[in-house]
Amino acid sequence: APAPEEEKSKGFFGKMADTLKDVQNLEDTWNKADSRFSTVSGTLTYRLILLDATERVEEWVDEGKPKITNDEVAIVCRIMDAMDLAKADAVGASDPYCRVLWNYREIFRTKSISDDLNPVWEDTGCFLPVGKYRHGQHDHLKIEVFDKEAMAIGWDMGDFLGEVIFEGDFLKGKFHKFKQDYVLHKRKDKDPEEQKLVQGTLALHFSRKRHKTLIKNGIWWPDDDNADGRKPREWLHVKVKKAMDLAKADSALFGMGGSSDPFVVVFFNREKVWESKVINNNQNPQWDDGDQFPVPMRGFTYGPPELRIAVYDKDTVGENEFLGQIFLYGDEVLKMNKKVTMQRKLGGRMGVEKEEVEIKGEIFLSTHVTLEPSFLSIVDKFELSLPYDVIAVQVVDARNLPKSDRMGLSDPYVVVLWKGQEVARTKTIQESLSPKWDNEWFLFAIPKNKDLME
């Protein structure tokens, strides 16, 4: 056994060498194992991969695709996401899920999304066999949205958040290419006063043919549109500059003053990706801040690229009040290759009968797209030969880091050293003691005719 001093001095790359010594068969090295490296305070997670041939990777990707049969005639109903649902829980938001009833029988339920008024289910759905109920003349589809109750018993499905119903010509006609937003409605056989939680929209996609199943594992290289792994990675940069003439959301104190405490939430393809700081007591806030987000390599199967920017008033008690939002679609989102400031008027929410606060004002922002070289394009650039002369290090996350800022937490990033010299560093994660990095990986070439362990 090595002496304690020797074990302590090994460091990161010493541990990497020990890991590689355990590899008996290069064909199995694509199966990645998480490794953890203890730092002075906290733990950094990384993955070490000795790269195998491209054919092995494509074979692995194919194995992850569910098998699809084509012998069933059915409508494919995909439940994509919901927007602007009502807050049903006394503590927190809502825990929404959907219940699908086909010809008056429940056939499917989605999972519940905890504490989220804008849930995304991501290509979750079911098949609706047609022509089997009353000779196919009266097919009936109802999708209900509920807030899941933690202590629900028996038939208690939780608070009702709305429903959509489809029948007749809709189910027989031609469906739209992309997903559509449908306003959630109240039940006609119930007292409207007992359904005050019904608001917002539900996004659905219908088709009569099966789209290619998306790879679920979050692995973006390679895919059907990028089979050789050489397509560059796109990053969308969004910067929210300011807003002007927002409504007063906070009541005046003793009849004097009153303003708003605005903050911005950015959604990319309905996923919440960024939230700004709160500017207190200001109807003309300036943020001049933002972030960057990876564009899906698979493209946009069920709708054009969409950027939603919503403004809210921060309340310490109760629900945050909505002040307005804008949407950008398609080329407005992804065709900007330079920073261009745009000005947009704030609008209301679809599926909300009456806003609590007047919707007014404008927001100023900029978006642009940058390209990151792909994995194999880097291999080509350095004239490397797969599968034996490249090591990839992926920085995954860190845990229990020390608090280093006097105000706030820490803003950690990772520096990668190769033979004592800095070769790369990750992006900085703001205000976090347990940061996570996405697709932060780095390549290291092994010199020709050199022992891998040197």
Side-chain angles (χ1 to χ4, degrees):
E5 293 79 14
E6 180 184 348
E7 180 69 27
K8 186 176 180 181
S9 64
K10 275 189 175 181
F12 180 87
F13 286 100
K15 291 178 179 291
M16 180 170 66
D18 286 345
T19 302
L20 293 176
K21 285 179 181 177
D22 294 335
V23 177
Q24 301 297 322
N25 187 344
L26 289 177
E27 280 294 314
D28 295 330
T29 58
W30 181 253
N31 299 320
K32 300 177 282 292
D34 284 358
S35 300
R36 301 199 178 276
F37 174 65
S38 296
T39 59
V40 176
S41 176
T43 304
L44 175 69
T45 303
Y46 60 92
R47 292 191 179 104
L48 299 175
I49 310 164
L50 187 61
L51 294 172
D52 198 357
T54 303
E55 291 78 10
R56 176 71 181 90
V57 178
E58 292 175 346
E59 180 183 313
W60 177 83
V61 170
D62 287 336
E63 288 173 0
K65 295 180 179 179
K67 299 296 184 290
I68 298 175
T69 60
N70 294 312
D71 57 355
E72 183 179 4
V73 178
I75 295 173
V76 183
C77 174
R78 289 179 172 86
I79 301 173
M80 307 300 293
D81 56 76
M83 287 195 302
D84 304 316
L85 299 180
K87 180 181 182 297
D89 297 340
V91 179
S94 292
D95 308 316
Y97 71 93
C98 295
R99 179 173 176 249
V100 179
L101 294 95
W102 178 242
N103 293 326
Y104 309 98
R105 294 179 58 187
E106 179 179 336
I107 63 169
F108 180 72
R109 287 192 188 191
T110 69
K111 67 179 181 180
S112 62
I113 307 294
S114 298
D115 199 28
D116 199 337
L117 302 182
N118 298 280
V120 176
W121 286 281
E122 277 195 7
D123 194 11
T124 297
C126 57
F127 295 103
L128 309 175
V130 297
K132 297 184 179 181
Y133 180 77
R134 296 185 180 180
H135 308 291
Q137 299 301 313
H138 303 282
D139 284 329
H140 181 277
L141 172 64
K142 178 193 289 187
I143 303 177
E144 301 172 325
V145 184
F146 291 91
D147 168 55
K148 184 178 181 180
E149 298 290 351
M151 303 297 291
I153 300 176
W155 291 96
D156 182 10
M157 288 177 288
D159 293 314
F160 179 69
L161 300 180
E163 68 180 15
V164 291
I165 296 176
F166 306 93
E167 55 189 347
D169 291 341
F170 178 87
L171 297 175
K172 298 177 183 178
K174 185 178 180 180
F175 297 124
H176 199 279
K177 177 182 178 181
F178 292 144
K179 68 178 182 179
Q180 300 290 296
D181 292 313
Y182 299 94
V183 174
L184 291 168
H185 295 285
K186 298 177 180 179
R187 288 169 169 162
K188 294 181 180 180
D189 59 343
K190 301 291 184 181
D191 184 355
E193 291 299 314
E194 298 177 358
Q195 304 182 74
K196 293 184 178 180
L197 293 178
V198 176
Q199 69 172 50
T201 60
L202 182 65
L204 304 171
H205 181 271
F206 295 96
S207 66
R208 298 187 190 279
K209 63 179 182 178
R210 293 171 177 82
H211 286 248
K212 288 183 178 178
T213 303
L214 303 182
I215 299 169
K216 301 291 185 182
N217 310 48
I219 301 296
W220 57 266
W221 176 83
D223 64 17
D224 292 336
D225 298 325
N226 190 26
D228 64 357
R230 289 173 170 81
K231 181 179 178 181
R233 181 70 159 167
E234 291 182 303
W235 289 84
L236 173 64
H237 301 255
V238 178
K239 191 169 192 177
V240 180
K241 296 181 178 294
K242 63 180 180 178
M244 294 184 64
D245 195 28
L246 298 178
K248 289 184 180 181
D250 299 336
S251 58
L253 184 64
F254 304 116
M256 300 177 61
S259 185
S260 292
D261 306 315
F263 68 97
V264 173
V265 180
V266 176
F267 300 85
F268 184 42
N269 293 335
R270 304 294 170 92
E271 294 270 11
K272 179 180 176 181
V273 293
W274 184 73
E275 182 175 314
S276 76
K277 64 181 180 181
V278 178
I279 307 293
N280 291 318
N281 197 32
N282 198 324
Q283 291 174 254
N284 299 285
Q286 295 193 21
W287 291 281
D288 202 29
D289 196 7
D291 205 347
Q292 62 182 24
F293 326 109
V295 177
M297 292 293 289
R298 63 178 181 253
F300 302 91
T301 307
Y302 301 112
E306 175 190 284
L307 189 66
R308 175 191 177 200
I309 299 177
V311 186
Y312 296 88
D313 169 65
K314 184 70 174 181
D315 281 342
T316 55
V317 179
E319 185 179 357
N320 297 325
E321 293 169 300
F322 178 76
L323 298 179
Q325 66 184 2
I326 66 167
F327 287 87
L328 301 176
Y329 300 98
D331 289 352
E332 285 186 301
V333 179
L334 294 182
K335 292 302 181 183
M336 296 288 190
N337 56 12
K338 60 181 180 179
K339 298 179 182 179
V340 177
T341 300
M342 60 185 78
Q343 176 182 353
R344 292 288 189 274
K345 185 177 180 180
L346 293 171
R349 294 176 290 184
M350 180 181 175
V352 178
E353 292 182 6
K354 184 179 180 180
E355 299 286 3
E356 296 292 328
V357 179
E358 177 188 6
I359 306 301
K360 55 178 291 193
E362 297 176 313
I363 193 165
F364 297 76
L365 69 149
S366 67
T367 68
H368 71 284
V369 174
T370 58
L371 297 180
E372 173 190 347
S374 66
F375 179 83
L376 285 183
S377 68
I378 298 175
V379 173
D380 293 341
K381 177 180 178 181
F382 290 100
E383 298 181 347
L384 304 174
S385 300
L386 289 176
Y388 303 118
D389 60 356
V390 181
I391 293 178
V393 177
Q394 180 184 15
V395 180
V396 180
D397 62 36
R399 302 180 185 181
N400 305 318
L401 298 180
K403 179 179 180 295
S404 61
D405 296 342
R406 180 173 298 179
M407 297 182 64
L409 302 175
S410 295
D411 305 320
Y413 63 91
V414 176
V415 176
V416 181
L417 304 176
W418 179 248
K419 296 183 178 180
Q421 295 184 350
E422 178 180 338
V423 294
R425 62 176 63 191
T426 66
K427 68 179 181 180
T428 301
I429 306 296
Q430 302 291 335
E431 288 290 309
S432 179
L433 300 183
S434 297
K436 293 183 179 181
W437 289 271
D438 293 326
N439 291 325
E440 293 278 4
W441 47 262
F442 309 96
L443 295 180
F444 302 93
I446 303 170
K448 302 288 186 187
N449 304 318
K450 288 284 186 177
D451 188 335
L452 188 62
M453 297 300 110
E454 285 187 5

